[in-house]
Amino acid sequence: MTENHTRRHRGSRLAPPRAFPPWSLVAAGVLAGGLLGGGYGVLRPAEYTATSYLVAVPGERSDAAGALGFAQAYGRIATQPAVLADAQVSAGVPVAALRAGVRTATSPDAPMVAVSATSPRPAEAAAMANAVAGALARGGDAARAATRVSLVPFTRAVRPTEPSSSSAGVTGLVGAGGGGLLGAGSEGRLMSRESGQRAD
């Protein structure tokens, strides 16, 4: 009688049969992630990026290495309040918009500074990039006697024709991939839990 009671007790601890196939959580994650990612790409406003370039030119008693070093320095100060305050009038946007939308990049091999601006409006993106580049060039010109390096415009930003933000298809694929990973992780944890219950 004790043996039968023990068998019934052990049997009651077995996990119930699953109502869905093992891959169901992964498929649900892919579907939900794809829908959310695609919806985000459709609802998010398109963004446009324009880039203006400046080049540091060595003057008398200076050399290419000095110009390269000052190009790196100018790239770091391009988004400082003094430069942005000088640029806001010609950009036609507040300093906060310039601070949020402008980024700079420099090269370790060439004395160039890239000033990129992002905005929902293509013309505004170009105006922001050119305004900050112009303000940076004026600052470099004012300091030329001390630095012996001139910072001159190389190419002006033009109005972009294509958005730089990801399309709905791309965001949908990213969402589907993320959802699939989450679903696979949940499926793995569920299977581990069921295996532990069977072992008990």
Side-chain angles (χ1 to χ4, degrees):
M1 180 175 178
T2 303
E3 182 178 355
N4 292 337
H5 176 74
T6 302
R7 287 177 180 174
R8 286 195 302 270
H9 179 68
R10 288 178 178 175
S12 64
R13 297 184 64 182
L14 292 177
R18 298 182 61 179
F20 300 101
W23 47 264
S24 58
L25 288 178
V26 178
V30 169
L31 180 61
L35 290 174
L36 290 174
Y40 173 75
V42 169
L43 296 176
R44 184 185 61 175
E47 292 186 332
Y48 298 84
T49 300
T51 304
S52 181
Y53 294 91
L54 303 103
V55 60
V57 180
E60 294 181 3
R61 289 181 291 174
S62 184
D63 54 20
L68 180 61
F70 276 107
Q72 302 283 337
Y74 282 123
R76 287 192 290 270
I77 68 170
T79 54
Q80 293 301 306
V83 178
L84 299 183
D86 185 21
Q88 68 171 333
V89 175
S90 55
V93 298
V95 170
L98 291 174
R99 187 181 300 111
V102 174
R103 297 291 181 270
T104 61
T106 57
S107 168
D109 304 315
M112 297 193 71
V113 182
V115 180
S116 299
T118 301
S119 171
R121 292 176 288 279
E124 186 175 85
M128 289 167 60
N130 288 326
V132 173
L136 193 61
R138 288 190 293 273
D141 186 64
R144 182 174 54 183
T147 63
R148 308 191 198 288
V149 171
S150 300
L151 189 64
V152 297
F154 186 70
T155 59
R156 286 179 58 83
V158 297
R159 178 175 177 172
T161 57
E162 297 289 337
S164 57
S165 54
S166 301
S167 65
V170 173
T171 57
L173 288 175
V174 172
L181 290 175
L182 290 175
S186 300
E187 179 65 32
R189 289 191 295 271
L190 183 59
M191 292 180 68
S192 298
R193 188 180 302 115
E194 290 178 350
S195 298
Q197 289 176 345
R198 292 192 186 99
D200 292 342

